Amino acid sequence: MSLKISNLFCCFLLAFCLITLVSCDKEDNNSGNGDAKAYFNVVVSIDTEGSDGATYVQALEDISTGTISFTNYGFQVPCVRTARVYASYDGKILYNLNYGGGLISKFNVLGGDAYSTVKSLDISAGVGTHPRWTKVNEDYALLHDVPSTTAQYDANENYTHHISEILLLPVKLDDFTLMNEGVKFEMPLTDEDKENRLHVWRIDAPVVLNGKAYYGLNKREYDPSTDKTNSSVSYSASTMIVDFPALTNPKVITSEVGKGSTQGYRTPTAHVDEKNDIYQITAAPSSILKISNGDYDNSYKLDISAKLGFEVGSNGWFYVGNGIGYVPYYDVAKGSGSAAAAWGVSRVDLYKGTVVKLDLPSDLWLQQYQYSITKDGKFYMALAPMGSAGNIYIFDTSSESSTGFTKGASLEKFGGTSTYIGIF
């Protein structure tokens, strides 16, 4: 009798352990917020005789300690100019746009400097050799370009407006195929565009929400008397909205409280928060604006320059959740160039309206910085002055302190005008 009871107890115990193990696995696999990241893909760009032509990457499981070196090490990502890189949510797949080369590629990440090519696509027939692109979720990336801007005149040869041709091309990431041959249309003009001879000449950094894709826009002014354009002119911040994934039915929304480009430069400019609102940064002077229910919320503006006490510009920012983000910025008075080394990083709280300048090295250049990730409630950036040693910085996203970070792995000096451009 005791043997039967013992066997029954063992069976019960085994079943309990199996259930516990399954429950633990399920919880670990659905922890969210980037917690399941398997690899950190650290990327460095090498400037070759003034043309940023070589990009190297390596994959690490832990970047909190040790030294990261690219000396005779790293996978060279194919590129004519600095590669435009994205990764899957778990870091096990790398995607690359060979900007200038007309190719996009998908790689399996095997660890260290081992990457294997899954597939490459020639996109030059669809969007040429110099489109930009954005991975908008785990299923799609969007290629986009403004292939032409053409001045229009009336019968009396008086300038009337510009036509900006827009070209959009969606990519399915699972089988890495182009969904169509490209969607073309003319950019809608706003009243401000018509009155001030403005036209869109670049688009980038789309985000997707509720069946719509929202693209940042960069405009410039045309002077018909000189046939010259001016991209430094001030104008209202605006966004193009199209149906997703069809990428048709374009319209433009315009902010009443924000000025400047929303296109960014290699860095994401817009993010969707947990309340399904879009927060978008402007270039210079930099502010974060809010888009709700398909239009700008003109009651909201987080003026980063006003908060920091001097005029700043930015190419984009990173959202880590719960209203918290990190903004790479530069001092407009000094300029964004590498010689000025006038870049820093601030922590923003969208909901509290606070901006904190972080106590980081003062000689950074983040003009080409592309991406960084969040894992286990920590935000990671690879920061080093150009051509110099640096560190992985691990930010405590809950800390409101200017020193709310720790230093992780050391970044070895690579020499020349090399610069670390992100963690993917």
Side-chain angles (χ1 to χ4, degrees):
M1 187 70 173
S2 61
L3 182 60
K4 290 181 179 179
I5 293 174
S6 178
N7 287 340
L8 182 62
F9 175 77
C10 288
C11 290
F12 171 79
L13 182 61
L14 178 61
F16 175 78
C17 289
L18 288 172
I19 291 171
T20 302
L21 286 171
V22 170
S23 298
C24 289
D25 282 346
K26 183 176 181 181
E27 183 178 351
D28 288 345
N29 290 335
N30 291 276
S31 52
N33 292 326
D35 295 348
K37 195 82 174 179
Y39 285 114
F40 297 90
N41 293 278
V42 180
V43 185
V44 66
S45 170
I46 312 302
D47 188 354
T48 305
E49 295 181 355
S51 176
D52 48 349
T55 304
Y56 293 88
V57 59
Q58 60 178 283
L60 304 101
E61 296 184 39
D62 182 11
I63 55 175
S64 62
T65 61
T67 299
I68 298 173
S69 173
F70 280 88
T71 303
N72 300 317
Y73 190 77
F75 173 73
Q76 185 170 358
V77 184
C79 61
V80 173
R81 296 186 60 190
T82 300
R84 289 3 183 226
V85 178
Y86 288 99
S88 62
Y89 179 75
D90 58 8
K92 295 179 180 179
I93 299 174
L94 196 74
Y95 306 99
N96 176 56
L97 166 66
N98 185 343
Y99 185 75
L103 289 174
I104 56 173
S105 300
K106 179 178 180 178
F107 304 93
N108 279 332
V109 181
L110 306 177
D113 63 353
Y115 291 75
S116 64
T117 303
V118 177
K119 190 176 182 180
S120 291
L121 292 174
D122 186 339
I123 58 171
S124 58
V127 286
T129 58
H130 288 78
R132 286 158 174 80
W133 82 328
T134 301
K135 174 178 171 280
V136 293
N137 54 38
E138 293 303 290
D139 299 317
Y140 292 96
L142 300 179
L143 289 152
H144 34 271
D145 192 22
V146 183
S148 67
T149 60
T150 309
Q152 304 297 302
Y153 298 85
D154 62 20
N156 297 319
E157 297 186 355
N158 295 313
Y159 172 79
T160 56
H161 65 284
H162 258 70
I163 290 179
S164 297
E165 181 186 20
I166 305 300
L167 181 55
L168 310 177
L169 181 60
V171 183
K172 290 182 64 177
L173 296 177
D174 55 353
D175 58 1
F176 212 59
T177 56
L178 305 178
M179 288 186 62
N180 52 50
E181 296 181 353
V183 178
K184 296 181 181 179
F185 53 81
E186 293 180 10
M187 172 66 70
L189 291 171
T190 67
D191 291 339
E192 182 184 39
D193 295 337
K194 298 172 185 176
E195 293 170 4
N196 295 285
R197 304 190 306 276
L198 298 167
H199 64 274
V200 170
W201 70 295
R202 284 182 177 173
I203 66 172
D204 205 358
V207 293
V208 170
L209 176 63
N210 296 333
K212 302 288 184 180
Y214 295 73
Y215 287 81
L217 305 181
N218 193 340
K219 299 182 181 183
R220 59 188 180 187
E221 178 189 49
Y222 177 70
D223 184 348
S225 65
T226 62
D227 194 30
K228 302 288 186 182
T229 58
N230 177 15
S231 56
S232 299
V233 65
S234 178
Y235 53 86
S236 300
S238 56
T239 297
M240 180 185 75
I241 307 174
V242 294
D243 295 338
F244 177 83
L247 306 182
T248 55
N249 193 29
K251 74 171 185 177
V252 174
I253 58 173
T254 301
S255 171
E256 296 177 3
V257 296
K259 296 286 187 180
S261 169
T262 55
Q263 168 225 334
Y265 183 72
R266 305 188 186 182
T267 314
T269 61
H271 302 274
V272 180
D273 76 345
E274 294 79 358
K275 302 175 184 179
N276 279 340
D277 292 319
I278 296 171
Y279 289 88
Q280 176 192 64
I281 199 166
T282 60
S286 292
S287 296
I288 295 180
L289 310 176
K290 181 180 179 181
I291 298 174
S292 296
N293 301 315
D295 205 351
Y296 280 99
D297 177 354
N298 293 310
S299 68
Y300 183 92
K301 178 182 178 180
L302 180 55
D303 190 331
I304 300 172
S305 295
K307 296 289 185 178
L308 293 180
F310 59 99
E311 186 175 349
V312 304
S314 178
N315 290 333
W317 67 297
F318 306 102
Y319 183 66
V320 302
N322 300 314
I324 306 302
Y326 290 85
V327 179
Y329 67 87
Y330 63 92
D331 185 338
V332 170
K334 297 179 180 178
S336 63
S338 57
W343 287 77
V345 180
S346 65
R347 177 190 186 272
V348 298
D349 189 321
L350 302 174
Y351 305 151
K352 293 182 179 180
T354 58
V355 180
V356 177
K357 179 181 178 181
L358 300 173
D359 292 339
L360 297 169
S362 59
D363 52 355
L364 297 175
W365 183 64
L366 302 175
Q367 175 71 10
Q368 294 185 11
Y369 202 89
Q370 294 185 15
Y371 204 75
S372 276
I373 62 173
T374 305
K375 178 181 178 182
D376 300 326
K378 307 293 184 182
F379 176 66
Y380 295 77
M381 292 189 77
L383 298 176
M386 178 179 283
S388 300
N391 282 92
I392 300 294
Y393 283 80
I394 307 171
F395 299 91
D396 178 358
T397 60
S398 66
S399 173
E400 298 181 8
S401 169
S402 62
T403 57
F405 56 84
T406 58
K407 289 184 180 181
S410 298
L411 299 173
E412 188 177 83
K413 177 181 178 180
F414 199 68
T417 51
S418 63
T419 180
Y420 288 87
I421 60 173
I423 305 171
F424 300 80

